[in-house]
Amino acid sequence: MAENYILECSGISKAFGGTQALKDVQLHVRPGEVHALLGENGAGKSTLMKIVIGLYQQDSGTMVFDGKPYQAKGPVDAIKSGISMIHQELNPEPHLTIAESIFLKREDTNGIFLNKRKQNERTQKILDDFGFPYPATTLIRELKLADVQMVEIIRAVSTNAKMIIMDEPTSSLDEQETQHLFRVIRDLKSKGVAIIYISHRMAEIYEICDTVSVFRDGHFIGTSALKDVSNDDLITMMVGRKVENQFPKVDCPIGDVVFKAEHLSGKGFEDISFEVHAGEILGFSGLVGSGRSETMRAIFGMDPLDSGKMYLNGQEFVRKHASDSIRQGVCMVNEDRKNFGLCLFRSIRENTSLPSLPERQKGLFINQSREKREVEDVSKTLLLKAASIEHNAYSLSGGNQQKVVIAKWILAAPKLLILDEPTRGVDVGAKAEIYSLMSKFAAEGMAIIMVSSELPEIMGMSDRVLVYHEGHISGEYFRKDILSGEVTQEVILSSAFGVA
Amino acid sequence: MASSPKTKRAASNQDRIRSLLGQYGIGIVLIIMMIVIAIMEPRFMTPGNIINVATQISINGLLCYGLCLCITTGGIDLTVGAQLALTSCIIGQTMTNMQWPAFLSILAGVGVATLFGFIDGLLIAKFNMFPFVVTLSMQLVIRGLSQVITGGRAVMLTNDWFTGIYSNKLMGIPMPIIIFVVVTIIMYLMLHWTKFGRYIFAVGGNVNAAIASGVSRFWVIVGVYTISGVLAGLASMIYTSKTGSAQSNIGVGYETDAIAAAVLGGTSFAGGIATIPGCVLGIFIIGLIYNGMNMIGVSSYYQSIVKGLIIIGAVMLDMVMNRNKH
Amino acid sequence: MASSPKTKRAASNQDRIRSLLGQYGIGIVLIIMMIVIAIMEPRFMTPGNIINVATQISINGLLCYGLCLCITTGGIDLTVGAQLALTSCIIGQTMTNMQWPAFLSILAGVGVATLFGFIDGLLIAKFNMFPFVVTLSMQLVIRGLSQVITGGRAVMLTNDWFTGIYSNKLMGIPMPIIIFVVVTIIMYLMLHWTKFGRYIFAVGGNVNAAIASGVSRFWVIVGVYTISGVLAGLASMIYTSKTGSAQSNIGVGYETDAIAAAVLGGTSFAGGIATIPGCVLGIFIIGLIYNGMNMIGVSSYYQSIVKGLIIIGAVMLDMVMNRNKH
Amino acid sequence: AEDTTEVPAEGVTYEADVNGDGKIVVGYISKNFTDPFHAPINARAQEYFDQAVKDGVIDEWTGLLDGETDANKQIDRAADCISKQCDIVIFLPAEAEASDPALVQMADAGILVIEVNSKSASCDEKAIAYVGSDDVEAGNMLAQWVVDNCPDGGKFIHCNGILGNSAQIQRTEGMHEIMDQHPEFEMVGDFDTKWDGNLAADAASDSMSKYGDELVAIICDNDGMSSAAQKMCNDNGREDIICIGVDGVEVPLQMVQDGSMKATILQDGVGQINGAISIVESLVKGEAFDPAPVIPFVLVTQDNVADYIQ
Ligand SMILES: Nc1ncnc2c1ncn2[C@@H]1O[C@H](COP(=O)(O)OP(=O)(O)OP(=O)(O)O)[C@@H](O)[C@H]1O
Ligand SMILES: Nc1ncnc2c1ncn2[C@@H]1O[C@H](COP(=O)(O)OP(=O)(O)OP(=O)(O)O)[C@@H](O)[C@H]1O
Ligand SMILES: [Mg+2]
Ligand SMILES: [Mg+2]
């Protein structure tokens, strides 16, 4: 072996029931490098990482870590060997404090009893070093999603591991926090720590990673140095075909005002006024926690509104619950797919038709044959990768789950569709599909609001961009100015920071 | 994609068979039980005894459906035993002591059970209290009320029409079986063919997603506990007619058998998973445990152990046959 | 970042006061109850009666801690009532009928309860069965075993040392109080000051995250059910010493009071939230409901209703005082 | 409270105000509030003592304390009675052995305890009086009725109360005492029916479908079960099956009256509590009383049912 690797996986296979998640894959990671792991949703990235960390056992294949044969029977073994992991979409125990969460399984004790003071002090020091503005005794449940993600990162980093796996660490972070994470990564790298970095955000990959390995459908496609491959090549490797246009935005005529908000105020946002037209994609940009989701949740009827008026097609829009909004044609894809999107253990069919059941009644009963037909149609339109619509949503990969969430709102035929982070955790191929759908529906006269923390997406897809800063609208930009290059990422970012 | 549509379809069919096997695999347990009992006691398989079993299961059957719905929304209804007592006492008091017509008495009894089911649902849905806690406490209140109503005394029911509810036959089929079949069909249609049924699964599967999809958690929760109340009321009507006596100490622990039947039938305590055909199988298994032990002549001291072991064993078998559910 | 560390810290302090108030707000209910009872019946506040109450609560107290742990991991232990019976029968059989020394008998009885707690935990952790189902069925098995062991008969316990466990005093304090206090301290230290306690909260809060951190769900689950078994065994020792008799029909429904105490004490059925001081308050409230109602002379016909309403009311009050917990 | 030997056989006397606080406080620990057999007993006690307090016969009473058919709870209630400084307590033990510490505790505190309905283990030493009957005898009567009415013998089944309960144990024992001497009878089923009429009815229908005409009798530990079982038999056209149980609560009595059941064994609960009440009255007046009045079980058939109904 000429190369000096910290982790070598070879011939790893893993099946879940009938699904072959990994087939004879390999992965070689050097110390001190940031190794990107790319692949479509369901390619098997998380599965391989869970095998490395000991949450799953492979069916066949071997691993070598730090020069020694390695096999983790559980996360404890992995942590002992010097591997830690930031898990994808895994919220830590809500009722523990930050200190308790970071030091879970590594508690400070005097003999058998916990030394809470020492642990809090140690944690506080780590938090302060990180510039994380909370006391160590804050409960996790009191933190915002992004802060929780930071705690996860801090926990992983604080183990002094030789290798850290980061499975989509930035999916709930904004630009600023992402940059913060990158500083941390560079620091770790300089100390010789190896990092496996999984993300669907191509820009990040190019910014921080050295090497890239690509998986497709559970197979290993290849490894190469990042500087040797172009973005398009990578995408082709991942999806097995060329993705012609990453942002297939079709410009279409903008129609009448569909929805108008006047002076909306509520928890996390104040005095928000805007209108959105038929055929328009209105982008909302801003930092995480700037109050975009709160605004959308309030419009949709998931949260209360303190004051303000809304109009739909010229008539006042009054809603108490989400059901009122849906009935009137206002629908929303929530940013939190797992908690607000799907009933994982029910079938794709049931999930998809849920909001639009009232229209699929035949007398007292549901017209199940019509339901089946319509769900099959919409899942074909969305290129949903599922063996059958009778399968549980649980069996789908993340991107395909997201498609089911979108499908259910398409079936509800909304006048206004609010998409909150519509492509979070979705691979490039599926992203392009979702974007082209958005274009298609806009062209059919739907008004679309898209909240996103990914600037390329905002800039690539929006007819108009509104930027949030601490609960207020701090800027408005138009597509023509973005296309002409007059409005750049920096311009939008600075208005998100409230500088402009 | 690596796999061709063909292999996918084959896999899917296989999956379906496995899932069907998983869903109703408990049916195998039922068949095995029937064979074992029939071998040990040939008289088990006589038409008379089969009708006998079907008649006996009706009370637990109705309770089981109510519990199945509550469990499916992620809750539990521990009041059913007490509801049995309360309805019985109301029927007894109004019919025997106040001379109300039987029909009106039944209406009053079932009505009160419905009301208490509604109150349970209200406390759970409106105040966000845990179903276990609410129904555990309400059960005390409901049983207390039945004691107050009757002063602890037993009331005899002499109305022939009423006592006939249990013993009369329609075309050779005892009334309880007819009631049970009708309720089963209604429950099946409701859970698997209506909007409300879908909403029950959605609320049980992921309440936040259900709300975000426009489902009213409030009405679904209130709905299932109210239905559980109605069914407990009907079960009590059958019970009271069967024993010909109304008293406040009946039904203690009846939720146990109903829960066991629901769970054997594949109802998941994680919420969002249940089928009425599954429940029917579960109800028959529980009924057969009792009837089978009585027919075979298992000593009274061992009956409780046998029952416990059969339930654990069946649930475990179901788990093994149907691994991917969890 | 937008807000300075200072402002965040201040908000957190306020939160803490609110959370403390929320956590032990149930104490207010306790104090109100004590005042009301004391006004209505002056003899309530005599040292004799206070010691009386404290002695009475010891059995429910021990059971409550076991349930608290199980509920905190997201489970439930419905076997405790049956465990009470089984341990009692084993102690009775070995001590009276087989002439074992008292100490050995107790060891055997508590040992078997521990074993069954372990089996419960094993079934739940290893086979991923729902705690409700496992313990509901095991309860039947355990009670059945006690019936088999004793042949359904009551066994007298005449060993003075043994019957003294309930009635003897140490420096004027009855033994049950001493046992209860010692167990309370151990449980407090275990839950709030050891790694194991931390892991209980972690598993109850989010089991997947706990596993990913290397916490062994298996041992935590097996651990809490085993502890619940030990505590039920100890409670049974006190019970058996108190009644001086071992029999198989005791303890039916005892889980109800234990669960009620745990829930009043702020133990959340959602898992991951519990405190031992909270449980102590809950245990006292349940004890006072019994003692207080009898001291005041609430008609027994209404006691069950009053008890149910107090539990619902207290939980609701707690909910209102502590909104952000849910 | 143990100097009973000093007084003449026909009566004993005590100082009623045992704690000397100038007040006479009476306690009442019931067996339970749920069993229809106990309802009239509890109701009679409530009625009498409420009136007695009003009339100034006694100063105070505890109200009906609920024993919940649970020895542990009864011991707690006994401690509560001590806390309330009772002088006299009427006590209906739930269990012969397990409830005994309640008696011992109160007697040791000087309280005059009158046991009613069933005896706890040290009743003879510690209680000042016992008013009640003997469950073994009730079991004998159950069996005797079946023996007398089925001269040819045959198969019968037995429905138990909650296993381990004193009444269940003693009635079952009494039943076996007689039945074991009659080889012409065969017990073909012994069911765990938990005092539950519904389960007894199911046991009846199961046994009918198994044994058909061979089944001649169903012996139940109480008549809540026997009346439900008899109804099940009658509904199946098997009025010939003899179902019998102990207690004499409303429903079985009415069934005896209207002929749908042949007999039941009545335990005169109200008679028992009245006996205890008259002892309390004697105590207050300082009169002598009989420490063990006999309230026998009565076989109730259509001939004498009119005397007991209502
Ligand atoms: N526990 C499981 N049970 C059954 N199938 C599973 C399980 N975990 C993963 N799979 C399946 O294995 C395949 C690989 O999943 P994996 O989560 O590794 O994908 P991924 O590459 O991480 O995708 P994403 O980018 O969406 O996170 C998918 O088809 C998924 O459905
Ligand atoms: N009650 C709450 N407790 C804890 N966190 C909350 C609460 N409500 C909202 N949050 C979190 O606060 C964060 C910031 O709020 P909001 O979602 O409005 O900002 P945003 O600009 O839309 O950010 P994002 O890019 O994450 O959507 C969100 O990540 C949300 O999950
Ligand atoms: Mg993944
Ligand atoms: Mg958001």
Side-chain angles (χ1 to χ4, degrees):
Chain A
M1 228 183 292
E3 282 273 18
N4 156 36
Y5 291 114
I6 181 134
L7 176 72
E8 293 166 70
C9 305
S10 28
I12 306 273
S13 295
K14 173 77 184 170
F16 293 104
T19 324
Q20 189 73 38
L22 292 173
K23 186 92 184 89
D24 195 23
V25 299
Q26 62 183 70
L27 185 68
H28 291 84
V29 183
R30 291 187 196 85
E33 76 168 353
V34 182
H35 193 119
L37 190 52
L38 285 187
E40 287 180 294
N41 293 119
K45 306 178 296 287
S46 300
T47 304
L48 180 63
M49 293 305 108
K50 284 178 182 168
I51 289 170
V52 172
I53 202 81
L55 279 173
Y56 298 155
Q57 310 296 317
Q58 70 272 36
D59 301 333
S60 64
T62 56
M63 292 182 281
V64 175
F65 182 73
D66 211 9
K68 292 184 281 284
Y70 166 83
Q71 180 67 49
K73 290 207 176 58
V76 183
D77 292 348
I79 293 164
K80 267 194 207 126
S81 311
I83 305 176
S84 69
M85 176 162 174
I86 300 165
H87 289 267
Q88 179 183 9
E89 295 183 6
L90 186 65
N91 309 326
E93 303 73 13
H95 312 299
L96 299 187
T97 67
I98 294 177
E100 288 169 349
S101 173
I102 286 181
F103 282 95
L104 190 61
K105 250 319 195 173
R106 300 188 284 137
E107 289 82 1
D108 285 316
T109 56
N110 336 308
I112 53 170
F113 296 116
L114 298 171
N115 189 339
K116 291 187 187 175
R117 187 193 295 170
K118 182 172 164 209
Q119 188 170 298
N120 286 338
E121 281 165 4
R122 274 177 64 187
T123 310
Q124 196 62 57
K125 193 168 170 313
I126 296 172
L127 295 184
D128 291 346
D129 286 352
F130 247 86
F132 191 69
Y134 291 93
T137 50
T138 314
L139 292 177
I140 297 289
R141 65 166 183 257
E142 290 163 1
L143 296 178
K144 292 187 292 183
L145 194 64
D147 291 329
V148 170
Q149 187 65 20
M150 286 310 285
V151 172
E152 281 281 275
I153 292 168
I154 295 169
R155 180 204 329 227
V157 170
S158 72
T159 55
N160 296 321
K162 295 186 193 122
M163 185 178 87
I164 301 178
I165 300 164
M166 301 187 174
D167 196 353
E168 304 197 29
T170 54
S171 65
S172 54
L173 301 186
D174 62 31
E175 280 294 324
Q176 191 199 13
E177 286 160 321
T178 303
Q179 286 309 322
H180 191 89
L181 173 66
F182 287 175
R183 280 197 296 280
V184 173
I185 291 179
R186 289 192 189 99
D187 183 43
L188 290 167
K189 206 169 119 173
S190 69
K191 290 178 188 156
V193 177
I195 290 171
I196 300 177
Y197 191 91
I198 301 175
S199 175
H200 291 293
R201 298 184 181 173
M202 301 305 288
E204 289 179 0
I205 302 284
Y206 274 98
E207 186 173 348
I208 194 75
C209 300
D210 307 306
T211 317
V212 58
S213 291
V214 178
F215 285 9
R216 190 199 313 150
D217 275 339
H219 293 266
F220 175 76
I221 302 297
T223 299
S224 76
L226 248 184
K227 56 182 186 323
D228 301 341
V229 281
S230 72
N231 192 4
D232 285 352
D233 290 344
L234 269 186
I235 292 174
T236 311
M237 279 168 86
M238 279 166 67
V239 299
R241 66 188 151 86
K242 266 188 117 58
V243 174
E244 293 298 339
N245 182 358
Q246 244 184 290
F247 298 108
K249 170 91 178 99
V250 181
D251 287 308
C252 60
I254 308 273
D256 297 333
V257 173
V258 171
F259 180 83
K260 188 169 166 194
E262 280 181 354
H263 311 294
L264 304 184
S265 295
K267 191 175 153 278
F269 58 92
E270 226 183 302
D271 196 25
I272 301 296
S273 301
F274 66 85
E275 44 185 49
V276 52
H277 303 252
E280 183 184 34
I281 298 178
L282 177 59
F284 278 77
S285 185
L287 299 183
V288 167
S290 54
R292 297 162 299 169
S293 296
E294 261 77 359
T295 312
M296 297 311 150
R297 285 171 59 93
I299 290 173
F300 185 52
M302 296 281 289
D303 288 341
L305 203 57
D306 293 343
S307 64
K309 275 200 165 136
M310 297 180 285
Y311 300 90
L312 185 67
N313 285 341
Q315 276 171 344
E316 185 162 359
F317 172 64
V318 187
R319 90 287 169 276
K320 201 159 170 239
H321 303 290
S323 50
D324 304 330
S325 306
I326 295 167
R327 210 177 326 108
Q328 296 172 67
V330 174
C331 295
M332 170 164 165
V333 172
N334 199 287
E335 60 180 329
D336 187 344
R337 176 173 68 228
K338 214 152 128 209
N339 284 320
F340 289 90
L342 293 170
C343 300
L344 287 177
F345 291 94
R346 300 305 303 180
S347 67
I348 295 166
R349 173 171 56 87
E350 287 184 26
N351 270 296
T352 309
S353 63
L354 187 61
S356 45
L357 279 180
E359 286 94 67
R360 273 148 201 75
Q361 293 270 102
K362 199 164 75 180
L364 272 177
F365 302 110
I366 297 166
N367 185 342
Q368 300 218 25
S369 58
R370 185 176 151 205
E371 179 197 11
K372 204 167 165 199
R373 199 173 59 239
E374 290 182 344
V375 173
E376 255 160 12
D377 287 350
V378 69
S379 58
K380 261 190 219 119
T381 319
L382 288 171
L383 304 174
L384 187 75
K385 282 179 207 156
S388 140
I389 59 167
E390 298 305 327
H391 277 201
N392 285 350
Y394 179 75
S395 65
L396 298 177
S397 75
N400 283 306
Q401 289 182 356
Q402 186 70 13
K403 284 185 194 168
V404 175
V405 177
I406 292 173
K408 76 184 198 182
W409 295 117
I410 289 171
L411 219 53
K415 299 189 182 89
L416 169 67
L417 179 61
I418 303 170
L419 301 162
D420 194 356
E421 308 284 2
T423 62
R424 168 175 288 170
V426 172
D427 67 54
V428 270
K431 260 183 197 168
E433 281 161 20
I434 290 172
Y435 297 145
S436 69
L437 279 167
M438 283 166 63
S439 287
K440 181 168 163 251
F441 293 121
E444 285 167 9
M446 200 185 282
I448 296 178
I449 290 176
M450 176 179 72
V451 177
S452 172
S453 300
E454 273 187 80
L455 277 176
E457 163 173 302
I458 285 282
M459 298 179 67
M461 291 303 297
S462 311
D463 289 298
R464 190 154 55 95
V465 179
L466 292 176
V467 185
Y468 258 56
H469 171 69
E470 295 194 345
H472 296 271
I473 293 178
S474 62
E476 181 172 13
Y477 304 96
F478 294 89
R479 181 166 178 80
K480 63 175 173 23
D481 300 326
I482 295 171
L483 287 180
S484 72
E486 190 179 311
V487 173
T488 58
Q489 290 210 5
E490 286 68 35
V491 174
I492 293 180
L493 261 181
S494 56
S495 81
F497 279 116
V499 192
Chain B
M1 291 248 124
S3 43
S4 73
K6 236 190 201 136
T7 59
K8 273 250 161 102
R9 202 152 301 169
S12 155
N13 267 343
Q14 220 180 39
D15 270 14
R16 188 154 315 164
I17 290 170
R18 193 201 289 136
S19 123
L20 211 73
L21 227 158
Q23 220 160 34
Y24 302 118
I26 201 73
I28 296 171
V29 175
L30 183 65
I31 292 168
I32 294 173
M33 279 179 67
M34 291 176 72
I35 294 172
V36 170
I37 301 172
I39 290 171
M40 296 183 68
E41 175 54 65
R43 275 167 293 193
F44 167 73
M45 270 303 187
T46 54
N49 189 51
I50 286 168
I51 287 194
N52 171 27
V53 175
T55 318
Q56 287 177 2
I57 60 169
S58 56
I59 294 171
N60 187 42
L62 298 192
L63 298 182
C64 169
Y65 293 143
L67 269 150
C68 167
L69 297 190
C70 295
I71 295 173
T72 304
T73 62
I76 187 115
D77 185 357
L78 301 174
T79 64
V80 294
Q83 292 264 45
L84 224 48
L86 181 59
T87 301
S88 177
C89 291
I90 290 172
I91 292 179
Q93 282 293 319
T94 54
M95 203 181 314
T96 302
N97 296 353
M98 295 160 71
Q99 302 293 331
W100 289 18
F103 180 75
L104 218 63
S105 284
I106 294 174
L107 211 70
V110 178
V112 171
T114 310
L115 178 71
F116 273 100
F118 179 80
I119 294 173
D120 288 340
L122 204 68
L123 286 170
I124 294 165
K126 186 91 195 160
F127 299 97
N128 245 318
M129 295 168 77
F130 286 108
F132 198 99
V133 181
V134 169
T135 56
L136 198 71
S137 320
M138 282 304 285
Q139 170 246 110
L140 296 170
V141 174
I142 294 170
R143 195 169 290 282
L145 269 182
S146 14
Q147 284 170 17
V148 171
I149 288 176
T150 55
R153 282 162 200 273
V155 180
M156 175 146 178
L157 290 141
T158 44
N159 183 314
D160 278 348
W161 182 84
F162 182 75
T163 53
I165 292 176
Y166 192 80
S167 50
N168 282 354
K169 291 184 174 148
L170 203 73
M171 298 177 300
I173 303 165
M175 284 298 291
I177 299 185
I178 293 173
I179 296 175
F180 177 63
V181 169
V182 170
V183 170
T184 303
I185 293 172
I186 295 175
M187 295 303 292
Y188 175 77
L189 291 175
M190 195 206 72
L191 192 61
H192 298 292
W193 287 87
T194 71
K195 231 168 33 171
F196 184 65
R198 280 295 170 76
Y199 292 167
I200 292 175
F201 288 129
V203 166
N206 181 347
V207 62
N208 289 325
I211 294 172
S213 301
V215 176
S216 163
R217 170 179 177 270
F218 180 84
W219 285 114
V220 169
I221 300 272
V222 168
V224 297
Y225 286 89
T226 308
I227 292 173
S228 180
V230 175
L231 293 174
L234 288 177
S236 176
M237 173 189 80
I238 299 178
Y239 186 114
T240 311
S241 157
K242 179 176 181 180
T243 60
S245 148
Q247 51 196 75
S248 64
N249 62 344
I250 64 169
V252 177
Y254 272 49
E255 55 280 3
T256 309
D257 282 349
I259 292 169
V263 170
L264 289 174
T267 309
S268 163
F269 265 89
I273 303 177
T275 65
I276 294 297
C279 283
V280 173
L281 295 178
I283 293 163
F284 268 92
I285 289 179
I286 295 289
L288 277 195
I289 294 178
Y290 280 101
N291 179 262
M293 288 194 305
N294 288 350
M295 293 300 274
I296 297 174
V298 175
S299 148
S300 59
Y301 290 101
Y302 290 92
Q303 292 202 355
S304 163
I305 299 182
V306 171
K307 191 170 132 195
L309 290 180
I310 290 179
I311 297 174
I312 291 187
V315 173
M316 217 144 133
L317 194 78
D318 191 38
M319 221 95 197
V320 172
M321 288 198 293
N322 194 19
R323 273 183 182 279
N324 51 341
K325 227 187 228 167
H326 290 268
Chain C
M1 307 243 153
S3 43
S4 76
K6 256 224 181 103
T7 59
K8 288 234 163 119
R9 214 156 285 183
S12 161
N13 265 344
Q14 219 183 39
D15 272 12
R16 186 148 317 160
I17 291 172
R18 195 204 284 139
S19 125
L20 210 74
L21 226 158
Q23 223 160 32
Y24 301 119
I26 201 76
I28 297 172
V29 175
L30 183 64
I31 292 170
I32 293 174
M33 279 179 67
M34 292 177 72
I35 293 174
V36 170
I37 301 171
I39 290 174
M40 296 183 70
E41 173 53 272
R43 275 170 289 195
F44 168 71
M45 269 304 185
T46 54
N49 189 54
I50 288 169
I51 287 194
N52 170 25
V53 174
T55 317
Q56 289 178 7
I57 60 169
S58 57
I59 294 171
N60 187 40
L62 298 191
L63 300 182
C64 169
Y65 293 142
L67 269 152
C68 168
L69 298 189
C70 296
I71 295 173
T72 305
T73 61
I76 187 113
D77 185 357
L78 301 174
T79 64
V80 294
Q83 292 266 45
L84 225 47
L86 181 59
T87 302
S88 178
C89 291
I90 289 171
I91 292 179
Q93 282 293 319
T94 53
M95 203 181 314
T96 301
N97 296 352
M98 295 159 70
Q99 302 293 333
W100 289 19
F103 180 76
L104 219 63
S105 284
I106 294 174
L107 211 68
V110 178
V112 172
T114 310
L115 178 71
F116 274 101
F118 178 81
I119 293 174
D120 287 340
L122 203 69
L123 287 171
I124 294 164
K126 186 89 197 161
F127 299 97
N128 245 320
M129 293 167 77
F130 286 106
F132 198 99
V133 181
V134 169
T135 57
L136 197 71
S137 321
M138 281 304 284
Q139 170 247 111
L140 296 170
V141 174
I142 294 171
R143 192 167 294 281
L145 270 182
S146 11
Q147 287 166 3
V148 171
I149 288 177
T150 54
R153 275 164 200 285
V155 181
M156 278 289 261
L157 288 142
T158 44
N159 182 314
D160 278 347
W161 182 86
F162 183 76
T163 52
I165 293 176
Y166 191 78
S167 50
N168 282 354
K169 289 180 180 163
L170 203 72
M171 299 177 299
I173 303 167
M175 286 296 291
I177 299 185
I178 294 174
I179 297 175
F180 178 62
V181 170
V182 170
V183 171
T184 303
I185 293 171
I186 295 175
M187 294 304 293
Y188 174 76
L189 291 175
M190 195 207 72
L191 191 60
H192 298 292
W193 288 93
T194 71
K195 288 186 187 187
F196 184 66
R198 189 60 58 73
Y199 301 157
I200 292 175
F201 287 124
V203 167
N206 182 346
V207 63
N208 291 324
I211 293 173
S213 303
V215 174
S216 162
R217 169 178 178 270
F218 181 83
W219 285 113
V220 169
I221 301 271
V222 168
V224 297
Y225 286 89
T226 309
I227 292 174
S228 180
V230 175
L231 292 173
L234 288 178
S236 176
M237 174 190 77
I238 299 178
Y239 188 115
T240 311
S241 158
K242 179 176 182 180
T243 59
S245 146
Q247 52 195 77
S248 61
N249 63 338
I250 65 169
V252 177
Y254 272 48
E255 56 281 3
T256 308
D257 280 349
I259 292 168
V263 169
L264 288 175
T267 309
S268 164
F269 265 89
I273 304 178
T275 66
I276 295 298
C279 284
V280 173
L281 294 177
I283 294 164
F284 268 93
I285 289 180
I286 295 290
L288 278 195
I289 293 179
Y290 280 104
N291 179 264
M293 286 197 300
N294 290 325
M295 291 301 274
I296 298 177
V298 174
S299 157
S300 282
Y301 291 102
Y302 293 94
Q303 289 202 359
S304 161
I305 300 179
V306 172
K307 190 170 137 195
L309 292 179
I310 289 179
I311 298 174
I312 291 186
V315 172
M316 218 144 138
L317 195 77
D318 192 39
M319 221 94 199
V320 172
M321 288 197 295
N322 195 18
R323 274 183 181 281
N324 53 339
K325 229 186 228 167
H326 293 267
Chain D
E2 286 184 44
D3 49 353
T4 47
T5 46
E6 309 293 321
V7 283
E10 63 275 9
V12 291
T13 54
Y14 295 91
E15 172 57 49
D17 182 11
V18 291
N19 50 21
D21 59 359
K23 280 203 290 191
I24 292 176
V25 182
V26 177
Y28 179 94
I29 302 173
S30 69
K31 182 167 175 184
N32 65 46
F33 274 81
T34 50
D35 189 335
F37 172 74
H38 287 273
I41 303 180
N42 295 333
R44 169 69 185 135
Q46 176 99 50
E47 175 200 37
Y48 173 79
F49 287 110
D50 280 348
Q51 193 58 43
V53 173
K54 238 183 245 159
D55 296 346
V57 178
I58 58 172
D59 296 290
E60 213 178 301
W61 81 296
T62 56
L64 305 165
L65 300 181
D66 191 353
E68 302 181 43
T69 329
D70 180 341
N72 172 40
K73 298 277 165 60
Q74 289 196 318
I75 296 169
D76 289 348
R77 298 299 79 82
D80 295 344
C81 283
I82 297 170
S83 284
K84 284 204 82 160
Q85 291 151 23
C86 291
D87 303 288
I88 304 165
V89 171
I90 293 176
F91 177 36
L92 290 80
E95 303 288 350
E97 282 87 11
S99 295
D100 200 48
L103 167 64
V104 174
Q105 203 180 347
M106 290 190 287
D108 290 352
I111 295 175
L112 307 174
V113 182
I114 304 162
E115 283 201 343
V116 176
N117 182 245
S118 64
K119 276 187 180 181
S120 72
S122 51
C123 178
D124 294 339
E125 300 95 62
K126 299 279 186 181
I128 61 162
Y130 171 68
V131 193
S133 13
D134 178 5
D135 275 318
V136 178
E137 185 199 331
N140 290 339
M141 292 173 77
L142 291 174
Q144 198 58 50
W145 172 259
V146 172
V147 170
D148 293 346
N149 283 273
C150 304
D152 302 336
K155 292 186 162 68
F156 74 96
I157 61 170
H158 175 229
C159 293
N160 285 288
I162 287 177
L163 296 175
N165 178 271
S166 288
Q168 177 267 325
I169 295 170
Q170 291 170 7
R171 288 171 193 175
T172 302
E173 185 185 319
M175 184 271 295
H176 277 296
E177 276 176 12
I178 304 291
M179 284 321 232
D180 292 352
Q181 295 164 14
H182 288 272
E184 72 273 24
F185 285 98
E186 183 195 356
M187 188 167 88
V188 291
D190 190 19
F191 300 112
D192 181 12
T193 40
K194 307 183 172 76
W195 304 126
D196 184 339
N198 177 41
L199 292 180
D202 286 350
S205 64
D206 289 347
S207 302
M208 280 187 287
S209 63
K210 180 167 174 186
Y211 298 105
D213 289 343
E214 296 167 55
L215 186 72
V216 297
I218 298 175
I219 299 180
C220 303
D221 284 348
N222 78 359
D223 61 5
M225 295 192 287
S226 66
S227 58
Q230 185 79 63
K231 181 169 181 297
M232 178 58 68
C233 295
N234 295 354
D235 288 344
N236 282 277
R238 292 293 310 275
E239 285 86 353
D240 60 302
I241 295 179
I242 293 173
C243 300
I244 187 158
V246 188
D247 275 351
V249 301
E250 290 90 338
V251 174
L253 286 180
Q254 279 178 36
M255 286 180 71
V256 171
Q257 187 175 43
D258 66 27
S260 51
M261 189 158 74
K262 295 203 179 58
T264 193
I265 307 291
L266 178 122
Q267 186 183 190
D268 187 2
V270 175
Q272 292 171 357
I273 192 66
N274 280 333
I277 286 170
S278 74
I279 292 176
V280 172
E281 283 176 337
S282 307
L283 278 171
V284 173
K285 290 187 197 134
E287 289 168 0
F289 59 88
D290 176 2
V294 176
I295 313 284
F297 283 104
V298 185
L299 175 68
V300 178
T301 61
Q302 197 135 27
D303 304 332
N304 60 351
V305 66
D307 303 339
Y308 298 97
I309 208 147
Q310 295 285 311

